[in-house]
Amino acid sequence: MKRRTGQDRSVTQNWKPATLAIRGGTARSEWGETSEALFLTSGYAYDCAGDAAARFAGEQAGMTYSRLQNPTVEMLEQRIALLEGAEACRATASGMAAMTAALLCQLQSGDHLIGGRAAFGSCRWLTDTLLPKFGIETTVIDARDPQQFADAIRPNTKVFFFETPANPTMDVVDLQAVCDIARARGITTVVDNAFATPALQRPLEFGADVVAYSATKMMDGQGRVLAGAICGTEDFIVNTLLPFHRNTGPTLSAFNAWVVLKGLETLDLRIKRQSENAIRVASFLEGRVPRVNFPGLPSHSQHNLAMRQMDAAGPIFSIELDGGRTQAHGLLDALGLIDISNNIGDSRSLMTHPASTTHYGVAPEQRAIMGVGEGMLRLNVGLEDPEDVIADLDQALTAVGL
Ligand SMILES: Cc1ncc(COP(=O)(O)O)c(C=O)c1O
């Protein structure tokens, strides 16, 4: 590969995150293209049968099949690993493919997992439905309290699985405290870092073992493709994840990898501006609605912890209205600029009613325990002028009597 490609860690180790986001992992072809090449190929041709055999035997460098390797996907994996400060990364077809693979590759019947109870609906489905179906015991706890992790440990506990901040309650997990508990007991921590991304929070620095992503969110950042990623040690990725990933095939397409590579170039700029915009919008909402769940606000009970482990609070938060689903849906229906959409991390401002969308599949009594009420709305603050977003919310709130 060519000069200054970013493939060589001795070259990149001194680069700062903003540089890594643009150049990390770049591997130029013989044409020397400046922008990353998109390799739309499912297979690779060999000069002779012996080369094919040697590559499959691992005796010759090179690619064999795009479920296993693809140059564009590898560039993305290198870039995410560099940004995360991880030894290795494997990209996946979606965030849920990442969460599922990160858990199933290391758990087996008879093991026990402790999960944060506040979590994205499909992540709760993994802990509540999928894992128990395969004989893996699970316990969900209030992950804001590290002691609850310690108290729930059993002799067969293998994994702690949680997101911070959590979707959509914005519960913050004390990364250092929880990772310390896990380390002391030989338990693997799997952190879903979708809301923060490595631009704002790097769980490995606090002792986490595995960091998993929905790259569909801030990493793409413009609502275009589904993607995911799993970061960890070389040993975990190569010896634990890869056998599962290569043979079950939750592989990221080269096209989607290319889109996320382009997204990462502006991640730092976008997430910082969107975080600032979110503070402006949340400050407006405070006092106007009964509750604003945003660790970025000094009034939030976990503000100090969030600011200790995050560089900024991110673009996503939730609010709670007292008028239940009727008032929440009424507010959504009165919006003019903000889209009603269950996606997040987009450069557009989006709003959703979790109880009837992202958390529809979670049993109502579980939703209540998680704190996802009928009056909750989740907001992703985009890159629009925050004054326009505030004006839209102002008129929608007035329309529902607030
Ligand atoms: C915290 C979190 N984890 C995982 C996912 C799943 O990601 P994907 O939709 O890319 O499968 C989401 C999606 O909203 C999420 O918010």
Side-chain angles (χ1 to χ4, degrees), residues 177-370:
V178 172
C179 293
D180 283 352
I181 293 166
R183 280 277 156 107
R185 302 292 292 266
I187 293 164
T188 302
T189 38
V190 177
V191 182
D192 179 342
N193 200 33
F195 271 35
T197 82
L200 298 186
Q201 174 174 271
R202 292 157 298 281
L204 299 180
E205 292 175 359
F206 299 91
D209 300 298
V210 178
V211 184
Y213 282 103
S214 168
T216 314
K217 313 302 178 198
M218 283 310 302
M219 287 192 183
D220 169 16
Q222 288 154 82
R224 299 166 295 190
V225 298
L226 289 173
I230 304 161
C231 300
T233 60
E234 185 84 21
D235 178 45
F236 174 81
I237 298 292
V238 172
N239 298 319
T240 304
L241 177 68
L242 276 190
F244 179 91
H245 189 284
R246 289 177 160 190
N247 292 301
T248 58
T251 312
L252 181 62
S253 80
F255 179 77
N256 288 2
W258 183 82
V259 172
V260 179
L261 274 165
K262 296 289 105 188
L264 286 178
E265 292 183 2
T266 55
L267 172 65
D268 196 63
L269 283 174
R270 284 185 286 105
I271 203 162
K272 289 190 177 141
R273 174 63 76 88
Q274 286 181 244
S275 296
E276 285 167 23
N277 290 356
I279 299 276
R280 299 255 307 263
V281 174
S283 303
F284 160 76
L285 288 167
E286 218 180 11
R288 181 80 180 265
V289 299
R291 275 168 302 285
V292 179
N293 305 317
F294 189 30
L297 291 177
S299 57
H300 190 273
S301 60
Q302 293 189 292
H303 176 72
N304 291 342
L305 170 63
M307 293 303 102
R308 261 206 319 273
Q309 56 192 33
M310 301 175 76
D311 297 335
I316 304 153
F317 64 88
S318 57
I319 59 173
E320 292 176 60
L321 311 182
D322 289 334
R325 183 178 295 212
T326 307
Q327 195 174 37
H329 275 197
L331 191 149
L332 288 176
D333 290 340
L335 293 170
L337 179 148
I338 302 167
D339 290 310
I340 305 169
S341 173
N342 45 284
N343 198 14
I344 43 177
D346 199 310
S347 53
R348 287 160 192 76
S349 291
L350 310 172
M351 206 167 185
T352 199
H353 178 246
S356 55
T357 60
T358 54
H359 290 68
Y360 173 76
V362 179
E365 60 278 8
Q366 287 300 330
R367 279 206 302 266
I369 296 170
M370 285 166 79

Side-chain angles (χ1 to χ4, degrees), residues 56-140:
F56 271 82
E59 291 158 1
Q60 185 185 87
M63 311 226 160
T64 55
Y65 188 57
S66 279
R67 173 156 45 76
L68 314 182
Q69 318 95 354
N70 175 279
T72 311
V73 177
E74 279 199 358
M75 284 191 263
L76 177 67
E77 291 169 342
Q78 291 255 350
R79 188 167 298 176
I80 293 175
L82 286 163
L83 287 169
E84 195 67 47
E87 287 176 14
C89 168
R90 184 76 172 173
T92 56
S94 69
M96 285 322 300
M99 304 309 151
T100 308
L103 298 178
L104 283 183
C105 75
Q106 59 176 316
L107 289 167
Q108 61 185 35
S109 173
D111 288 344
H112 176 238
L113 170 145
I114 302 172
R117 73 180 183 201
F120 174 53
S122 297
C123 293
R124 277 299 300 260
W125 185 83
L126 295 183
T127 53
D128 297 356
T129 306
L130 183 78
L131 298 180
K133 199 170 144 185
F134 291 102
I136 299 156
E137 300 167 13
T138 62
T139 307
V140 288

